[in-house]
């Protein structure tokens, strides 16, 4: 394979074609001229190399990639001109094109491009929000990186379908990406779904990235679709049934056909940019190894924690709360979890209403709707040093509950919301107040896995 064709944008545009758009195209009708100029460059290279370039495609590839590399990273970018063959030859000589193996400058460009974007993102993501502990300029970081998201649907036969996100919705601590359309493959043929962040290989911050340009894929999560309809249904309305796949994915199926209607990915801001840009197409980004923080008083349990929790859908929030100075003791450890109480049954001043109607909004290119009693929960828990300890964004559902197990009896129907992953559990209890038409949160507790606490602080609970 020609080393230039290392990646394709959407399965249609090989890199050598995209290169002509990125490097040479400056206006309508210029692409052909650039192509002729490239042929002229090749003829001159024959003279410069002292041999025919018919058997020297590697040298031409090296020439092109040096041009790309130097345009992006040379301190004297103005010296690189499309028609300056002599200057190019001198620069090629100074960059030792003949001494490098095939593909060297391509790899060098991609490596340095990733490092450059990473450094720029680190500067942008440095300022943190005082309440959430998350970067305040996440949207700017997305703009700088040209970041977007795709899902890759893989059939049992090996065929792949790559779909761009259709809608994005930004929330206080998460972003929701939506996919919908008419041309879904049949569900029975699908085996897995890959969620990937995509960023342009040729990044020009002053211009919108070209849609057909080559892009870097970073795997965020892989989901199994083989037994989707056998998993627990999250909710439904007259048209749609929805299923939740961990982490944070909602899959909507048409009730009648049992085929895909939409896919919704809920992505928490914590390390989102890194996870969406610094992994590979096959391997997710791994966070740097955690260095345990010192716990000044391990015998006292946890103290000084701060929780920010949202419940929302379609840009409408029914809950947005911040709770400070949360604490618990070793006496609340049970079944490998430590309980952290946020809202207590016994203290009515802590009880909170959910604002408006609770429902998870969905839409396709034809229909839209809202699934009652479902919502998206974003949770950000900061430990005593203000560092994110546990974060997630996931769909949840209110389900009928027999009533508080260890609290007073309430007038009105009672409901619960439960969420669990590898790091902890959330248990929330609500009461429906008929007179005001509101849900009230009467209990909220987090159950943190003891193994995570010990790993984080180096303790031995």
């Amino acid at each position: 394979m020609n080393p230039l064709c290392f990646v394709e944008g959407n399965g249609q545009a090989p890199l050598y074609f995209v290169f002509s758009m990125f490097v040479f195209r400056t206006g309508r009708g210029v692409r052909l001229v650039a192509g002729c100029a490239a042929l002229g460059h090749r003829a001159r290279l024959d003279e410069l190399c002292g041999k025919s370039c018919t058997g020297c495609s590697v040298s031409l590839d090296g020439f092109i990639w040096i041009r790309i590399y130097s345009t992006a990273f040379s301190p004297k970018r103005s010296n690189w001109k499309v028609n300056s063959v002599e200057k190019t030859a001198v620069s090629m000589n100074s960059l030792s094109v003949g001494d490098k193996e095939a593909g060297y400058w391509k790899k060098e460009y991609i490596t340095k491009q990733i490092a450059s974007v990473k450094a720029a993102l680190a500067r942008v993501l440095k300022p943190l929000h005082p309440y959430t502990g998350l970067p305040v300029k996440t949207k700017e970081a997305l703009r700088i990186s040209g970041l977007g998201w795709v899902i890759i649907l893989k059939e049992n036969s090996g065929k792949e379908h790559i779909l761009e996100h259709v809608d994005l919705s930004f929330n206080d601590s998460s972003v929701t990406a939506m996919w919908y359309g008419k041309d879904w493959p049949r569900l029975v043929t699908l085996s897995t779904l890959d969620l990937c962040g995509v960023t342009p290989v040729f990044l020009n911050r002053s211009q919108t990235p070209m849609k057909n340009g080559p892009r870097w894929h970073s795997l965020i999560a892989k989901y199994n679709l083989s037994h989707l309809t056998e998993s627990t249904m999250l909710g439904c309305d007259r048209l749609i049934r929805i299923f939740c796949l961990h982490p944070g994915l909602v899959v909507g199926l048409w009730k009648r056909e049992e085929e895909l209607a939409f896919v919704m990915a809920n992505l928490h801001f914590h390390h989102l940019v890194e996870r969406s840009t610094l992994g590979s197409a096959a391997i997710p980004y791994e966070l740097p190894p955690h260095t345990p923080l010192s716990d000044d008083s391990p015998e006292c349990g946890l103290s000084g924690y701060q929780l920010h929790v949202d419940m929302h859908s379609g840009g409408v929030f029914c809950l947005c709360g911040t709770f400070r100075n949360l604490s618990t003791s070793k006496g609340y450890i049970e079944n490998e979890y430590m309980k952290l109480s946020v809202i207590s049954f016994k203290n009515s001043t802590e009880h909170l209403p959910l604002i408006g109607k609770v429902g998870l909004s969905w839409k396709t290119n034809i229909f839209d709707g809202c699934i009652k009693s479902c919502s998206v929960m974003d949770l950000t828990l900061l430990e005593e040093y203000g560092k994110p300890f546990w974060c997630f964004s996931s769909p949840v559902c209110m389900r009928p509950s027999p009533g508080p197990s260890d609290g007073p009896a309430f007038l009105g129907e009672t409901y619960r919301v439960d969420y669990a992953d590898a790091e902890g559990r959330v248990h929330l209890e609500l009461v429906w107040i008929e007179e005001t038409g509101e849900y009230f949160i009467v209990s909220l507790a987090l159950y943190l896995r003891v193994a995570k606490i010990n790993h984080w602080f180096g303790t031995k609970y």
Side-chain angles (χ1 to χ4, degrees), residues 246-311:
H246 181 76
L249 195 76
V250 179
V251 179
L253 300 183
W254 296 113
K255 266 187 173 181
R256 186 172 180 178
E257 295 87 0
E258 287 289 332
E259 296 292 352
L260 290 172
F262 68 86
V263 172
M264 174 192 299
N266 301 284
L267 303 165
H268 196 281
F269 282 162
H270 185 49
H271 291 307
L272 174 60
V273 175
E274 295 91 334
R275 290 186 293 125
S276 300
T277 59
L278 301 180
S280 71
I283 303 175
Y285 169 72
E286 288 189 11
L287 294 175
H290 173 71
T291 302
L293 303 170
S294 61
D295 191 341
D296 297 334
S297 52
E299 68 282 352
C300 297
L302 308 179
S303 62
Y305 277 56
Q306 179 172 301
L307 172 68
H308 184 82
V309 59
D310 297 328
M311 291 180 67

Coordinates of all heavy atoms in Angstrom, one line a residue, residues 246-311:
H246 N -23.9 0.3 29.7 CA -22.9 1.0 30.5 C -21.6 1.0 29.7 O -21.2 0.0 29.0 CB -22.6 0.3 31.8 CG -21.6 0.9 32.7 ND1 -21.9 2.1 33.4 CD2 -20.3 0.6 32.9 CE1 -20.8 2.4 34.0 NE2 -19.8 1.6 33.8
P247 N -20.9 2.2 29.6 CA -21.2 3.4 30.4 C -22.0 4.4 29.5 O -21.6 4.8 28.4 CB -19.8 4.0 30.7 CG -19.0 3.5 29.5 CD -19.5 2.2 29.1
G248 N -23.2 4.9 30.0 CA -23.9 6.1 29.5 C -24.5 6.0 28.2 O -24.9 7.1 27.6
L249 N -24.7 4.9 27.6 CA -25.3 4.8 26.2 C -26.8 4.4 26.3 O -27.2 3.5 27.0 CB -24.6 3.8 25.4 CG -24.8 3.8 23.9 CD1 -24.1 5.0 23.3 CD2 -24.4 2.5 23.2
V250 N -27.6 5.2 25.5 CA -29.0 4.9 25.4 C -29.3 4.4 24.0 O -28.9 5.1 23.0 CB -29.9 6.1 25.7 CG1 -31.4 5.7 25.6 CG2 -29.6 6.6 27.1
V251 N -29.9 3.3 23.8 CA -30.3 2.7 22.5 C -31.8 2.7 22.4 O -32.4 2.1 23.3 CB -29.7 1.4 22.2 CG1 -30.1 0.8 20.9 CG2 -28.1 1.4 22.3
G252 N -32.4 3.4 21.4 CA -33.8 3.4 21.3 C -34.2 2.5 20.1 O -33.6 2.6 19.0
L253 N -35.2 1.7 20.4 CA -35.7 0.7 19.3 C -37.2 1.1 19.1 O -38.0 1.4 20.0 CB -35.6 -0.7 19.8 CG -34.2 -1.3 20.2 CD1 -34.4 -2.7 20.5 CD2 -33.3 -1.1 19.0
W254 N -37.5 1.0 17.8 CA -39.0 1.1 17.4 C -39.7 -0.1 18.0 O -39.3 -1.2 17.8 CB -39.1 1.2 15.9 CG -38.5 2.3 15.2 CD1 -37.5 2.3 14.4 CD2 -39.0 3.7 15.3 NE1 -37.2 3.6 14.0 CE2 -38.1 4.5 14.5 CE3 -40.0 4.4 16.1 CZ2 -38.2 5.9 14.4 CZ3 -40.1 5.7 16.0 CH2 -39.2 6.5 15.1
K255 N -40.8 0.2 18.6 CA -41.6 -0.9 19.3 C -42.1 -1.9 18.2 O -42.0 -3.1 18.4 CB -42.8 -0.3 20.0 CG -42.6 0.0 21.5 CD -43.9 0.4 22.1 CE -43.7 0.5 23.6 NZ -45.0 0.9 24.3
R256 N -42.5 -1.4 17.1 CA -43.2 -2.3 16.1 C -42.2 -3.1 15.4 O -42.3 -4.4 15.3 CB -44.0 -1.4 15.1 CG -44.8 -2.2 14.2 CD -45.7 -1.3 13.3 NE -46.5 -2.1 12.4 CZ -47.4 -1.5 11.6 NH1 -47.6 -0.2 11.6 NH2 -48.1 -2.3 10.8
E257 N -41.1 -2.5 14.9 CA -40.1 -3.3 14.1 C -39.0 -3.9 14.9 O -38.2 -4.7 14.3 CB -39.5 -2.4 13.0 CG -40.5 -1.8 12.0 CD -41.2 -0.6 12.4 OE1 -40.9 -0.1 13.6 OE2 -42.1 0.0 11.7
E258 N -38.8 -3.4 16.1 CA -37.6 -3.9 16.9 C -36.3 -3.6 16.2 O -35.4 -4.4 16.2 CB -37.7 -5.4 17.2 CG -38.7 -5.8 18.2 CD -38.3 -5.3 19.7 OE1 -37.1 -5.2 19.9 OE2 -39.2 -5.0 20.5
E259 N -36.3 -2.4 15.5 CA -35.1 -1.9 14.8 C -34.6 -0.6 15.4 O -35.3 0.1 16.2 CB -35.3 -1.8 13.3 CG -35.7 -3.1 12.6 CD -34.5 -4.0 12.5 OE1 -33.4 -3.7 12.9 OE2 -34.7 -5.2 12.1
L260 N -33.4 -0.2 15.1 CA -32.8 1.0 15.7 C -33.5 2.2 15.3 O -33.9 2.4 14.1 CB -31.3 1.1 15.3 CG -30.3 0.1 15.9 CD1 -29.0 0.2 15.2 CD2 -30.2 0.3 17.4
A261 N -33.8 3.1 16.3 CA -34.4 4.4 16.0 C -33.4 5.5 16.3 O -33.3 6.5 15.5 CB -35.6 4.6 16.9
F262 N -32.6 5.4 17.4 CA -31.6 6.4 17.7 C -30.6 5.8 18.7 O -30.9 4.8 19.3 CB -32.3 7.7 18.3 CG -32.9 7.5 19.7 CD1 -32.1 7.6 20.8 CD2 -34.2 7.2 19.8 CE1 -32.7 7.4 22.1 CE2 -34.8 7.0 21.0 CZ -34.0 7.1 22.2
V263 N -29.5 6.5 18.8 CA -28.5 6.2 19.8 C -28.1 7.5 20.5 O -27.9 8.5 19.8 CB -27.2 5.5 19.2 CG1 -26.1 5.4 20.2 CG2 -27.6 4.2 18.6
M264 N -28.0 7.5 21.8 CA -27.6 8.7 22.6 C -26.5 8.3 23.5 O -26.5 7.4 24.2 CB -28.8 9.1 23.4 CG -28.5 10.3 24.4 SD -29.9 10.5 25.6 CE -31.2 10.9 24.5
A265 N -25.4 9.1 23.4 CA -24.2 8.9 24.3 C -24.1 10.1 25.2 O -24.1 11.2 24.8 CB -22.9 8.8 23.4
N266 N -24.0 9.8 26.5 CA -23.9 10.8 27.6 C -22.5 10.7 28.1 O -22.0 9.7 28.7 CB -24.9 10.5 28.7 CG -26.3 10.5 28.2 OD1 -26.9 11.5 28.0 ND2 -26.9 9.3 28.0
L267 N -21.7 11.8 27.9 CA -20.3 11.9 28.1 C -20.0 12.9 29.2 O -20.2 14.1 29.0 CB -19.6 12.2 26.8 CG -19.8 11.2 25.7 CD1 -19.3 11.8 24.3 CD2 -19.2 9.9 25.9
H268 N -19.5 12.4 30.3 CA -19.1 13.4 31.4 C -17.8 14.1 31.0 O -17.0 13.6 30.3 CB -18.9 12.6 32.7 CG -18.9 13.4 33.9 ND1 -17.7 14.1 34.3 CD2 -19.8 13.7 34.9 CE1 -18.0 14.8 35.4 NE2 -19.3 14.5 35.8
F269 N -17.7 15.4 31.4 CA -16.6 16.2 31.1 C -15.3 15.7 31.7 O -14.2 16.0 31.2 CB -16.8 17.6 31.5 CG -17.7 18.4 30.6 CD1 -18.3 19.6 31.1 CD2 -18.0 18.0 29.3 CE1 -19.2 20.3 30.2 CE2 -18.8 18.7 28.5 CZ -19.4 19.9 29.0
H270 N -15.3 14.9 32.8 CA -14.1 14.5 33.4 C -13.2 13.7 32.5 O -13.6 12.6 32.1 CB -14.4 13.8 34.7 CG -13.2 13.4 35.5 ND1 -12.2 14.3 35.8 CD2 -12.8 12.2 36.0 CE1 -11.2 13.8 36.5 NE2 -11.6 12.5 36.7
H271 N -12.0 14.2 32.1 CA -11.1 13.6 31.2 C -11.7 13.2 29.8 O -11.2 12.4 29.1 CB -10.5 12.3 31.8 CG -9.6 12.5 32.9 ND1 -8.5 13.4 32.8 CD2 -9.6 12.0 34.2 CE1 -7.9 13.4 34.0 NE2 -8.5 12.6 34.8
L272 N -12.8 13.9 29.5 CA -13.5 13.6 28.2 C -12.6 14.0 27.0 O -12.5 13.2 26.1 CB -14.8 14.4 28.1 CG -15.5 14.3 26.7 CD1 -15.9 12.9 26.4 CD2 -16.8 15.2 26.7
V273 N -11.9 15.1 27.0 CA -11.1 15.5 25.9 C -9.9 14.5 25.7 O -9.6 14.1 24.6 CB -10.6 16.9 26.1 CG1 -9.6 17.3 25.0 CG2 -11.7 17.9 26.1
E274 N -9.3 14.1 26.8 CA -8.2 13.2 26.7 C -8.7 11.8 26.2 O -8.1 11.2 25.3 CB -7.6 13.0 28.1 CG -6.9 14.2 28.7 CD -7.8 15.0 29.5 OE1 -9.0 15.0 29.3 OE2 -7.3 15.8 30.4
R275 N -9.9 11.3 26.7 CA -10.4 10.0 26.3 C -10.8 10.1 24.8 O -10.8 9.1 24.1 CB -11.6 9.6 27.2 CG -11.2 9.3 28.6 CD -12.3 8.7 29.4 NE -13.3 9.7 29.6 CZ -14.6 9.6 29.3 NH1 -15.1 8.5 28.7 NH2 -15.5 10.6 29.6
S276 N -11.2 11.3 24.3 CA -11.7 11.4 23.0 C -10.6 11.7 22.0 O -10.9 11.7 20.8 CB -12.8 12.5 22.9 OG -13.8 12.2 23.7
T277 N -9.4 12.0 22.4 CA -8.3 12.4 21.5 C -7.0 11.6 21.6 O -6.3 11.5 20.6 CB -8.0 13.9 21.7 OG1 -7.5 14.1 23.0 CG2 -9.1 14.8 21.4
L278 N -6.8 11.0 22.8 CA -5.4 10.4 23.0 C -5.4 8.9 23.0 O -4.3 8.3 23.2 CB -4.9 10.9 24.4 CG -4.8 12.4 24.5 CD1 -4.2 12.8 25.8 CD2 -3.9 13.0 23.4
G279 N -6.5 8.3 22.7 CA -6.5 6.8 22.5 C -6.2 6.5 21.1 O -5.9 7.3 20.3
S280 N -6.4 5.2 20.7 CA -6.3 4.8 19.3 C -7.6 4.2 18.9 O -8.6 4.0 19.7 CB -5.2 3.7 19.2 OG -5.6 2.5 19.8
A281 N -7.7 3.8 17.7 CA -9.0 3.2 17.1 C -9.3 1.9 17.8 O -10.5 1.5 17.8 CB -8.9 3.0 15.6
A282 N -8.3 1.2 18.4 CA -8.6 -0.1 19.0 C -8.4 -0.1 20.5 O -9.0 -1.0 21.2 CB -7.6 -1.1 18.4
I283 N -7.7 0.8 21.1 CA -7.4 0.8 22.5 C -7.8 2.2 23.1 O -7.3 3.2 22.7 CB -5.9 0.6 22.8 CG1 -5.5 -0.8 22.1 CG2 -5.6 0.5 24.2 CD1 -4.0 -1.1 22.2
P284 N -8.6 2.2 24.2 CA -9.0 3.4 24.8 C -7.8 4.1 25.5 O -6.8 3.4 25.9 CB -10.1 3.0 25.8 CG -10.5 1.7 25.4 CD -9.3 1.0 24.7
Y285 N -7.9 5.4 25.7 CA -6.8 6.1 26.5 C -6.8 5.7 27.9 O -7.9 5.5 28.6 CB -7.1 7.6 26.4 CG -6.3 8.5 27.3 CD1 -5.0 8.7 27.1 CD2 -6.9 9.1 28.4 CE1 -4.2 9.4 28.0 CE2 -6.2 9.9 29.3 CZ -4.8 10.0 29.1 OH -4.1 10.8 29.9
E286 N -5.6 5.4 28.5 CA -5.5 5.0 29.9 C -5.0 6.2 30.7 O -4.0 6.9 30.3 CB -4.5 3.9 30.0 CG -5.1 2.5 29.5 CD -4.2 1.4 29.9 OE1 -3.3 1.6 30.7 OE2 -4.4 0.3 29.4
L287 N -5.7 6.5 31.8 CA -5.2 7.6 32.6 C -3.9 7.3 33.2 O -3.5 6.1 33.4 CB -6.2 7.8 33.8 CG -7.6 8.3 33.4 CD1 -8.5 8.3 34.6 CD2 -7.6 9.7 32.7
P288 N -3.1 8.3 33.5 CA -1.8 8.1 34.2 C -2.0 7.4 35.5 O -3.0 7.5 36.1 CB -1.2 9.5 34.3 CG -1.9 10.3 33.4 CD -3.3 9.7 33.2
P289 N -1.0 6.6 35.9 CA -1.2 5.9 37.2 C -1.4 6.9 38.4 O -0.8 7.9 38.4 CB 0.2 5.2 37.4 CG 0.7 5.0 36.0 CD 0.2 6.2 35.3
H290 N -2.3 6.5 39.2 CA -2.7 7.4 40.3 C -1.7 7.3 41.5 O -1.4 6.2 41.9 CB -4.1 7.1 40.8 CG -4.5 7.8 42.1 ND1 -4.7 9.2 42.1 CD2 -4.6 7.4 43.4 CE1 -5.1 9.6 43.3 NE2 -5.0 8.5 44.1
T291 N -1.2 8.4 42.0 CA -0.4 8.4 43.2 C -1.2 8.6 44.4 O -1.9 9.7 44.5 CB 0.7 9.5 43.1 OG1 1.5 9.4 41.9 CG2 1.6 9.5 44.3
P292 N -1.3 7.7 45.3 CA -2.1 7.9 46.5 C -1.9 9.2 47.2 O -0.7 9.6 47.5 CB -1.8 6.6 47.3 CG -1.3 5.6 46.4 CD -0.5 6.4 45.3
L293 N -3.0 9.8 47.6 CA -2.9 11.0 48.4 C -2.9 10.7 49.9 O -3.5 9.7 50.3 CB -4.1 11.9 48.1 CG -4.3 12.3 46.7 CD1 -5.7 13.0 46.5 CD2 -3.2 13.2 46.2
S294 N -2.2 11.5 50.7 CA -2.1 11.2 52.1 C -3.4 11.6 52.8 O -4.0 12.6 52.6 CB -1.0 12.0 52.7 OG -1.2 13.4 52.6
D295 N -3.9 10.7 53.6 CA -5.1 10.9 54.4 C -4.6 11.3 55.9 O -4.1 10.4 56.6 CB -6.0 9.7 54.5 CG -7.4 9.9 55.1 OD1 -7.5 10.9 55.8 OD2 -8.3 9.1 54.8
D296 N -4.9 12.5 56.2 CA -4.4 13.0 57.5 C -5.0 12.3 58.7 O -4.3 12.1 59.8 CB -4.6 14.5 57.7 CG -3.9 15.3 56.6 OD1 -2.8 14.8 56.1 OD2 -4.3 16.4 56.3
S297 N -6.2 11.8 58.6 CA -6.9 11.2 59.7 C -7.7 10.0 59.2 O -8.9 10.1 59.2 CB -7.8 12.2 60.4 OG -8.6 12.8 59.5
P298 N -7.0 8.9 58.8 CA -7.8 7.8 58.3 C -8.7 7.1 59.3 O -9.7 6.5 58.9 CB -6.7 6.8 57.9 CG -5.5 7.2 58.7 CD -5.6 8.7 58.9
E299 N -8.4 7.3 60.6 CA -9.3 6.7 61.6 C -10.7 7.4 61.6 O -11.7 6.9 62.2 CB -8.7 6.8 63.0 CG -8.5 8.2 63.6 CD -7.3 8.9 63.0 OE1 -6.6 8.3 62.2 OE2 -7.2 10.1 63.3
C300 N -10.8 8.6 61.1 CA -12.0 9.4 61.1 C -12.9 9.1 59.9 O -14.0 9.7 59.8 CB -11.7 10.9 61.2 SG -10.8 11.3 62.7
G301 N -12.5 8.4 58.9 CA -13.3 8.2 57.7 C -13.1 9.3 56.7 O -12.0 9.8 56.5
L302 N -14.1 9.6 56.0 CA -14.1 10.6 54.9 C -14.7 11.9 55.4 O -15.7 12.0 56.1 CB -14.9 10.1 53.7 CG -14.5 8.7 53.2 CD1 -15.4 8.4 52.0 CD2 -13.0 8.6 52.8
S303 N -14.1 13.0 55.0 CA -14.6 14.4 55.4 C -14.2 15.4 54.3 O -13.3 15.2 53.5 CB -14.0 14.8 56.7 OG -12.6 14.9 56.7
G304 N -15.0 16.5 54.2 CA -14.7 17.6 53.3 C -15.1 17.2 51.9 O -14.5 17.9 51.0
Y305 N -15.9 16.3 51.6 CA -16.3 15.9 50.3 C -17.4 16.9 49.7 O -18.1 17.5 50.5 CB -16.9 14.5 50.2 CG -15.8 13.5 50.1 CD1 -14.8 13.4 51.1 CD2 -15.7 12.5 49.1 CE1 -13.8 12.4 51.0 CE2 -14.7 11.6 49.0 CZ -13.8 11.5 50.0 OH -12.8 10.6 49.9
Q306 N -17.4 17.0 48.4 CA -18.4 17.9 47.8 C -19.0 17.2 46.6 O -18.3 16.6 45.8 CB -17.7 19.2 47.3 CG -18.6 20.2 46.6 CD -18.0 21.5 46.3 OE1 -17.5 22.2 47.2 NE2 -17.9 21.9 45.0
L307 N -20.3 17.3 46.5 CA -21.1 16.6 45.4 C -21.8 17.6 44.6 O -22.5 18.6 45.1 CB -22.1 15.7 46.0 CG -23.1 15.0 45.1 CD1 -22.4 14.1 44.1 CD2 -24.2 14.3 45.8
H308 N -21.7 17.5 43.3 CA -22.5 18.3 42.3 C -23.3 17.2 41.5 O -22.7 16.3 40.9 CB -21.7 19.1 41.4 CG -22.5 20.0 40.5 ND1 -23.1 21.2 40.9 CD2 -22.9 19.8 39.2 CE1 -23.8 21.7 40.0 NE2 -23.7 20.9 38.9
V309 N -24.6 17.4 41.5 CA -25.5 16.4 40.8 C -26.5 17.1 40.0 O -27.2 18.1 40.5 CB -26.1 15.4 41.8 CG1 -27.0 16.1 42.8 CG2 -26.9 14.3 41.0
D310 N -26.7 16.7 38.8 CA -27.7 17.2 37.9 C -28.6 16.1 37.4 O -28.1 15.0 37.2 CB -27.1 17.9 36.6 CG -26.2 19.1 37.0 OD1 -26.6 19.8 37.9 OD2 -25.2 19.4 36.2
M311 N -29.9 16.4 37.1 CA -30.8 15.5 36.4 C -31.4 16.4 35.3 O -31.9 17.4 35.5 CB -31.8 14.9 37.3 CG -31.3 13.9 38.3 SD -32.5 13.2 39.4 CE -33.5 12.2 38.2

